[in-house]
Coordinates of all heavy atoms in Angstrom, one line a residue:
K1 N 19.2 -167.3 116.0 CA 19.2 -168.4 116.9 C 19.6 -169.7 116.2 O 20.0 -170.7 116.9 CB 17.8 -168.6 117.5 CG 16.7 -168.9 116.5 CD 15.4 -169.0 117.2 CE 14.2 -169.4 116.2 NZ 12.9 -169.5 116.9
N2 N 19.6 -169.7 114.9 CA 20.0 -171.0 114.2 C 21.4 -170.9 113.6 O 21.7 -171.7 112.7 CB 18.9 -171.3 113.2 CG 17.6 -171.7 113.8 OD1 17.6 -172.4 114.8 ND2 16.5 -171.3 113.2
R3 N 22.2 -169.9 113.9 CA 23.5 -169.8 113.4 C 24.4 -169.2 114.5 O 23.9 -168.4 115.3 CB 23.6 -169.1 112.1 CG 23.2 -167.6 112.2 CD 23.2 -166.9 110.9 NE 22.7 -165.6 110.9 CZ 22.5 -164.8 109.9 NH1 23.0 -165.2 108.7 NH2 22.0 -163.6 110.0
P4 N 25.7 -169.4 114.5 CA 26.6 -168.7 115.4 C 26.5 -167.2 115.3 O 26.6 -166.7 114.2 CB 28.0 -169.3 115.1 CG 27.7 -170.5 114.3 CD 26.4 -170.3 113.6
F5 N 26.5 -166.5 116.4 CA 26.5 -165.0 116.3 C 27.4 -164.5 117.4 O 27.6 -165.1 118.5 CB 25.1 -164.5 116.4 CG 24.4 -164.7 117.8 CD1 24.6 -163.9 118.8 CD2 23.5 -165.8 117.9 CE1 23.9 -164.1 120.1 CE2 22.9 -166.0 119.1 CZ 23.1 -165.2 120.2
F6 N 27.9 -163.3 117.1 CA 28.7 -162.5 118.1 C 28.0 -161.2 118.3 O 27.8 -160.4 117.3 CB 30.1 -162.3 117.6 CG 30.9 -161.3 118.4 CD1 30.9 -161.3 119.8 CD2 31.7 -160.3 117.8 CE1 31.6 -160.3 120.6 CE2 32.4 -159.4 118.5 CZ 32.4 -159.4 119.9
L7 N 27.5 -160.9 119.5 CA 26.8 -159.6 119.8 C 27.7 -158.8 120.7 O 28.0 -159.3 121.8 CB 25.4 -159.9 120.4 CG 24.7 -158.7 121.0 CD1 24.4 -157.6 119.9 CD2 23.4 -159.1 121.6
Y8 N 28.1 -157.6 120.3 CA 28.8 -156.7 121.2 C 27.8 -155.6 121.6 O 27.5 -154.7 120.9 CB 30.0 -156.1 120.4 CG 30.7 -155.0 121.2 CD1 30.8 -155.0 122.5 CD2 31.4 -154.0 120.4 CE1 31.6 -154.0 123.2 CE2 32.1 -153.0 121.0 CZ 32.2 -153.0 122.4 OH 32.9 -152.0 123.0
L9 N 27.3 -155.8 122.9 CA 26.3 -154.8 123.4 C 27.1 -153.8 124.3 O 27.5 -154.1 125.4 CB 25.2 -155.5 124.2 CG 24.3 -154.6 125.0 CD1 23.6 -153.6 124.2 CD2 23.2 -155.5 125.7
A10 N 27.4 -152.7 123.8 CA 28.2 -151.7 124.4 C 27.3 -150.6 125.0 O 27.0 -149.6 124.4 CB 29.2 -151.1 123.4
H11 N 26.9 -150.8 126.3 CA 26.0 -149.8 126.9 C 26.7 -148.5 127.1 O 27.9 -148.4 127.3 CB 25.5 -150.4 128.2 CG 24.3 -151.3 128.1 ND1 23.1 -150.9 127.5 CD2 24.1 -152.6 128.5 CE1 22.3 -151.9 127.6 NE2 22.9 -152.9 128.1
W12 N 25.9 -147.4 127.1 CA 26.3 -146.1 127.5 C 26.2 -145.9 129.0 O 26.9 -145.2 129.7 CB 25.5 -145.1 126.8 CG 25.7 -143.6 126.9 CD1 24.8 -142.6 127.1 CD2 27.0 -142.9 126.9 NE1 25.3 -141.4 127.2 CE2 26.7 -141.5 127.0 CE3 28.3 -143.3 126.7 CZ2 27.7 -140.5 127.0 CZ3 29.3 -142.3 126.7 CH2 29.0 -140.9 126.9
G13 N 25.2 -146.6 129.6 CA 25.1 -146.6 131.1 C 26.2 -147.2 131.8 O 26.8 -148.2 131.4
T14 N 26.8 -146.5 132.8 CA 26.1 -145.4 133.6 C 26.9 -144.1 133.4 O 26.9 -143.2 134.3 CB 26.1 -145.7 135.1 OG1 27.5 -146.0 135.4 CG2 25.3 -147.0 135.3
H15 N 27.4 -143.9 132.2 CA 28.1 -142.6 131.9 C 27.2 -141.4 132.0 O 26.0 -141.5 131.7 CB 28.7 -142.7 130.4 CG 29.8 -141.7 130.1 ND1 29.6 -140.4 130.1 CD2 31.1 -142.0 129.8 CE1 30.7 -139.8 129.7 NE2 31.7 -140.7 129.6
T16 N 27.8 -140.3 132.4 CA 27.0 -139.0 132.4 C 26.7 -138.6 130.9 O 27.4 -139.0 130.0 CB 27.8 -137.9 133.1 OG1 29.1 -137.8 132.5 CG2 27.9 -138.2 134.6
P17 N 25.6 -137.8 130.7 CA 24.8 -137.2 131.7 C 23.8 -138.1 132.4 O 23.4 -139.1 131.8 CB 24.0 -136.2 130.8 CG 23.9 -136.8 129.5 CD 25.3 -137.5 129.3
L18 N 23.6 -137.8 133.7 CA 22.8 -138.7 134.5 C 21.3 -138.5 134.1 O 20.7 -137.5 134.3 CB 23.0 -138.5 135.9 CG 24.4 -138.7 136.5 CD1 24.5 -138.5 138.0 CD2 24.9 -140.1 136.1
Q19 N 20.7 -139.6 133.5 CA 19.3 -139.6 133.1 C 18.7 -141.0 133.4 O 19.3 -142.0 133.0 CB 19.2 -139.3 131.6 CG 19.6 -137.9 131.2 CD 19.3 -137.6 129.7 OE1 19.9 -138.2 128.9 NE2 18.2 -136.8 129.5
A20 N 17.6 -141.0 134.1 CA 16.9 -142.2 134.4 C 15.5 -142.1 133.9 O 14.9 -141.0 133.7 CB 17.0 -142.5 135.9
T21 N 14.8 -143.3 133.8 CA 13.4 -143.3 133.5 C 12.7 -142.9 134.9 O 13.2 -143.3 135.9 CB 12.9 -144.6 133.0 OG1 13.1 -145.6 134.0 CG2 13.6 -145.0 131.7
R22 N 11.5 -142.3 134.8 CA 10.8 -142.0 136.0 C 10.4 -143.3 136.7 O 10.4 -143.3 138.0 CB 9.5 -141.2 135.6 CG 8.9 -140.6 136.8 CD 7.9 -139.5 136.3 NE 8.6 -138.4 135.6 CZ 9.3 -137.4 136.3 NH1 9.3 -137.4 137.6 NH2 9.8 -136.5 135.6
E23 N 10.1 -144.3 136.0 CA 9.8 -145.6 136.7 C 10.9 -146.1 137.5 O 10.7 -146.5 138.7 CB 9.4 -146.6 135.6 CG 9.0 -148.0 136.2 CD 8.7 -149.0 135.1 OE1 8.7 -148.6 133.9 OE2 8.5 -150.2 135.5
D24 N 12.1 -146.1 137.0 CA 13.3 -146.6 137.7 C 13.6 -145.6 138.9 O 14.0 -146.1 140.0 CB 14.5 -146.7 136.8 CG 14.4 -148.0 135.9 OD1 13.9 -149.0 136.4 OD2 15.0 -147.9 134.8
Y25 N 13.4 -144.4 138.7 CA 13.7 -143.4 139.7 C 12.8 -143.6 140.9 O 13.2 -143.5 142.1 CB 13.5 -142.0 139.1 CG 13.8 -140.8 140.0 CD1 15.1 -140.4 140.3 CD2 12.7 -140.1 140.6 CE1 15.3 -139.4 141.2 CE2 12.9 -139.1 141.5 CZ 14.2 -138.7 141.8 OH 14.5 -137.6 142.6
E26 N 11.5 -143.9 140.6 CA 10.5 -144.1 141.7 C 10.8 -145.5 142.4 O 10.7 -145.6 143.6 CB 9.1 -144.1 141.2 CG 8.7 -142.8 140.6 CD 8.6 -141.7 141.7 OE1 8.5 -142.0 142.8 OE2 8.8 -140.5 141.3
A27 N 11.3 -146.4 141.6 CA 11.5 -147.8 142.1 C 12.6 -147.9 143.1 O 12.5 -148.7 144.0 CB 11.7 -148.8 141.0

C-alpha cells in the first residue's frame, strides 16, 4: 500500500471443469 504495485489477477473462473461452492450454488 505504500509503494506502486502491479497486480495481475488471472482468474480461472469461469473455465471448465464446472465447480462451485455449495454456498454459491444454494444462493
